[in-house]
Amino acid sequence: MLTEKQKDLLMFIHERMQERGVPPSFDEMKDALDLRSKSGIHRLITALVERGFIRRLPHRARAIEVIKLPENQIAAATSATPAAPRGFQPSVITGTGPKQNVTPPPSHVIDARTVSVPVMGRIAAGTPISAIQNHTHDIAVSPDILTNGEHFALEVKGDSMIEAGIHDGDTVIVRRCNTAENGDIIVALVEGEEATLKRLRKKGSTIALEAANPEFKTRIFGPDQVDIQGRLVGLLRRY
């Protein structure tokens, strides 16, 4: 059973995709539901995921697949678009770029000396960017850098982590995980929308994303506003 706000958000997402073929932003969702902050949208989306109406697509900001509509809304949605195929067709809200290859392929050994790791686009070490992009290419990495589990790489944009030795243009190697310890440098997805590389600081029930550059302020969030995508395990730099 959905609340009225949950139902309104689900139908707004579905109808916007039917009308325009492009996803609404979190700001558009917030305005449509007359909410004060995007954190309210994040909570509604989480509730819709838990109830099986939508699911998030991994490693993409604002990437949501509508799985089903409420029973009393299916007929109305279908009759409003008579040219559409019979029955409900899932719509996908994507961030930037094509939707294929959204999950990083597992790294594999090229030879005894290197391992192939997928590069998944850029990560912000400065002003947060809108998405972790799709798999673009592979790089060869020494197996000494890697730990157990799945890994992916991201190209760094910005200098907010420069005092941690991470420069604009570097490539970071990340172990995919959804938890981390205090002081770890992580890839974080903020409110399902912004991707950034920062040091994790847990303070009571809040999460702080801390830069390694005094020109950038530490940002404080509630526990439901930050999703950990991975933990930094290595770095590559070209001279």
Side-chain angles (χ1 to χ4, degrees):
M1 191 71 177
L2 298 182
T3 67
E4 285 302 314
K5 285 290 188 184
Q6 291 164 1
K7 186 190 301 180
D8 288 346
L9 178 60
L10 179 62
M11 295 309 299
F12 176 68
I13 292 170
H14 172 67
E15 290 167 5
R16 177 59 62 88
M17 289 298 297
Q18 294 295 314
E19 291 172 5
R20 302 184 183 180
V22 295
S25 66
F26 271 47
D27 283 324
E28 289 172 326
M29 295 181 201
K30 175 175 68 69
D31 293 341
L33 272 67
D34 195 26
L35 297 179
R36 293 184 177 181
S37 71
K38 290 185 287 188
S39 61
I41 294 297
H42 179 82
R43 286 191 291 271
L44 290 173
I45 287 177
T46 299
L48 290 171
V49 170
E50 292 173 349
R51 287 161 176 76
F53 285 89
I54 63 176
R55 71 181 176 92
R56 291 190 178 98
L57 302 179
H59 299 286
R60 297 283 299 282
R62 292 209 317 263
I64 302 170
E65 181 179 5
V66 179
I67 299 173
K68 63 181 180 178
L69 296 177
E71 289 293 334
N72 61 349
Q73 297 293 330
I74 294 176
T78 303
S79 61
T81 55
R86 185 176 180 181
F88 173 66
Q89 300 295 319
S91 57
V92 178
I93 296 180
T94 62
T96 57
K99 64 184 178 183
Q100 64 269 25
N101 296 327
V102 296
T103 302
S107 55
H108 58 279
V109 176
I110 297 176
D111 56 38
R113 294 165 295 178
T114 61
V115 174
S116 176
V117 173
V119 178
M120 301 297 293
R122 286 182 169 182
I123 183 70
T127 303
I129 57 179
S130 61
I132 299 174
Q133 300 170 12
N134 290 330
H135 178 206
T136 58
H137 60 285
D138 294 339
I139 56 173
V141 176
S142 168
D144 294 337
I145 295 178
L146 306 180
T147 58
N148 294 330
E150 183 180 343
H151 296 77
F152 60 96
L154 294 164
E155 297 172 353
V156 175
K157 180 178 176 62
D159 59 0
S160 71
M161 299 300 292
I162 195 167
E163 291 188 3
I166 303 170
H167 298 181
D168 183 55
D170 287 349
T171 298
V172 289
I173 309 300
V174 179
R175 180 183 181 275
R176 186 179 177 186
C177 61
N178 55 18
T179 61
E181 299 297 324
N182 244 351
D184 285 346
I185 296 176
I186 63 168
V187 172
L189 195 62
V190 179
E191 294 188 340
E193 195 170 43
E194 301 176 345
T196 189
L197 184 72
K198 293 291 184 290
R199 193 178 298 279
L200 175 68
R201 298 292 185 192
K202 298 177 183 179
K203 301 180 179 180
S205 61
T206 63
I207 293 175
L209 297 181
E210 181 182 272
N213 184 333
E215 295 183 6
F216 292 83
K217 294 181 179 179
T218 297
R219 304 173 71 197
I220 308 295
F221 299 97
D224 62 343
Q225 292 178 285
V226 176
D227 292 317
I228 297 172
Q229 304 288 294
R231 179 176 60 84
L232 179 72
V233 297
L235 181 144
L236 303 177
R237 180 174 300 156
R238 292 184 178 180
Y239 292 94

